[in-house]
Amino acid sequence: MSSKFPVAIQVYSVREDAEKDFYGTLKRIKEMGYDGVEFAGLYGHKPEEVKNMCEEIGLVPLSAHVPLDEMLADPRKVLADYKVIGCNYIAIPYLNEEYRPGHEKFDEVIAAAKEIGKIGKELGIQLLYHNHDFEFVKVDGKYALDMLYDTVEPDYLQTELDVCWVNVGGENPADYIRKYTGRAPVVHLKDFIMPGKKPAKMYDLIGIDDDTEVAADEKFEFRPVGYGCQNFPEILDASKDAGATWVVVEQDMPSMDKTPLECAKMSIDYLKSIMK
């Protein structure tokens, strides 16, 4: 059996359901067996309302993904709002192209992480960085992701390693998690299949890039945890070794002719089966 963790789900995985019925979707998540949630927006609800929902349902409001520009607009207020909800973590979730490694504004991301991380420290909320695969490009011989963590102090920035994108980026997820032992409190569990080569445009798959025809040999599909190519027993053991305290399920798009909620149930059922 694998190392055991409390399991949260990134609400982005079931975003259409949350948009229609936020409270009802959180209740379904709890009924499936999840222990907590990671937010990606509050769907028009005030922080106090979300706090009360989580308390009533019995879900831990673990963390939140908040766009970098939104945090920079008023970092103290944004972080304070999520602290009201009860979140211990807030994560930079994604970088638009001009902010990615190798582009002119990547230095601004490093500076912003320091600024937001310091404010978070004051407020008792830890800043995380949630990677994709584009951080696995080398700048002066070093992965940009490593450069980010080497430049910003651990007190201000911790990792939220997404095991799908670590794998797609060319690294073994378990090894990479262990690399950040002591700095990996939350690990993102994501499964996928990629029978052929990496698609030229990855992010049209999650509705970010423009529509592009994907060739048959570039077929990529997000999968419920345990239904793709990832070695999750190994990943969970590495997460324990690295000092992680939570794991978070995320599936950007549903698959296998299942709804997002059905995929979420498949993921938690699989994890429970290997963490007994």
Side-chain angles (χ1 to χ4, degrees), residues 6-75:
V7 183
I9 187 170
Q10 168 52 258
V11 180
Y12 180 79
S13 307
V14 291
R15 55 196 177 277
E16 292 180 4
D17 297 281
E19 184 71 47
K20 293 172 187 171
D21 181 4
F22 188 53
Y23 181 88
T25 300
L26 294 181
K27 196 162 183 265
R28 288 281 302 278
I29 286 168
K30 176 63 178 179
E31 289 167 353
M32 288 178 194
Y34 285 96
D35 304 291
V37 284
E38 180 176 70
F39 299 106
L42 301 180
Y43 299 91
H45 297 280
K46 294 179 179 176
E48 294 83 359
E49 293 172 335
V50 177
K51 174 181 183 288
N52 292 336
M53 287 181 193
C54 289
E55 286 181 352
E56 184 175 325
I57 293 167
L59 281 171
V60 174
L62 177 68
S63 53
H65 280 190
V66 181
L68 182 59
D69 57 354
E70 185 178 327
M71 283 198 273
L72 283 173
D74 194 345

Side-chain angles (χ1 to χ4, degrees), residues 11-251:
V11 180
Y12 180 79
S13 307
V14 291
R15 55 196 177 277
E16 292 180 4
D17 297 281
E19 184 71 47
K20 293 172 187 171
D21 181 4
F22 188 53
Y23 181 88
T25 300
L26 294 181
K27 196 162 183 265
R28 288 281 302 278
I29 286 168
K30 176 63 178 179
E31 289 167 353
M32 288 178 194
Y34 285 96
D35 304 291
V37 284
E38 180 176 70
F39 299 106
L42 301 180
Y43 299 91
H45 297 280
K46 294 179 179 176
E48 294 83 359
E49 293 172 335
V50 177
K51 174 181 183 288
N52 292 336
M53 287 181 193
C54 289
E55 286 181 352
E56 184 175 325
I57 293 167
L59 281 171
V60 174
L62 177 68
S63 53
H65 280 190
V66 181
L68 182 59
D69 57 354
E70 185 178 327
M71 283 198 273
L72 283 173
D74 194 345
R76 194 166 292 276
K77 181 182 185 305
V78 170
L79 271 65
D81 281 348
Y82 281 98
K83 193 62 183 174
V84 166
I85 293 171
C87 294
N88 289 323
Y89 303 98
I90 197 164
I92 300 170
Y94 181 80
L95 298 177
N96 291 328
E97 190 167 356
E98 66 269 24
Y99 290 99
R100 294 179 192 173
H103 294 261
E104 58 181 309
K105 293 189 175 181
F106 184 61
D107 286 345
E108 293 181 27
V109 175
I110 293 173
K114 290 180 180 178
E115 176 192 350
I116 297 165
K118 286 179 182 178
I119 293 170
K121 199 73 178 173
E122 292 173 27
L123 297 174
I125 191 165
Q126 176 66 59
L127 181 66
L128 307 174
Y129 184 84
H130 170 262
N131 63 280
H132 288 75
D133 66 309
F134 50 71
E135 296 90 349
F136 288 91
V137 297
K138 292 196 172 178
V139 179
D140 298 327
K142 181 187 289 188
Y143 283 138
L145 188 61
D146 294 330
M147 180 181 294
L148 178 65
Y149 292 130
D150 287 349
T151 308
V152 185
E153 300 91 323
D155 276 357
Y156 301 141
L157 184 67
Q158 303 254 314
T159 72
E160 185 177 51
L161 293 171
D162 184 302
V163 299
C164 164
W165 299 122
V166 170
N167 194 331
V168 172
E171 292 292 330
N172 177 281
D175 292 345
Y176 210 77
I177 290 165
R178 285 193 177 94
K179 177 177 181 174
Y180 284 101
T181 294
R183 201 173 178 175
V186 182
V187 175
H188 250 221
L189 305 185
K190 185 182 295 179
D191 215 346
F192 69 100
I193 55 168
M194 188 169 67
K197 63 182 181 178
K198 176 179 168 182
K201 300 197 71 165
M202 290 293 296
Y203 300 106
D204 60 348
L205 297 162
I206 55 174
I208 293 173
D209 281 342
D210 55 16
D211 292 334
T212 305
E213 288 294 324
V214 178
D217 66 346
E218 296 183 354
K219 177 77 171 166
F220 181 103
E221 187 177 273
F222 295 109
R223 285 289 185 90
V225 171
Y227 291 82
C229 68
Q230 300 270 48
N231 185 337
F232 284 104
E234 180 181 78
I235 287 167
L236 291 170
D237 288 344
S239 299
K240 181 182 179 182
D241 292 345
T245 55
W246 278 82
V247 294
V248 178
V249 167
E250 183 178 45
Q251 187 174 345

Side-chain angles (χ1 to χ4, degrees), residues 254-270:
S255 59
M256 302 174 68
D257 294 322
K258 303 293 184 182
T259 67
L261 284 167
E262 287 171 339
C263 288
K265 181 70 163 59
M266 291 166 71
S267 290
I268 189 63
D269 286 350
Y270 167 77

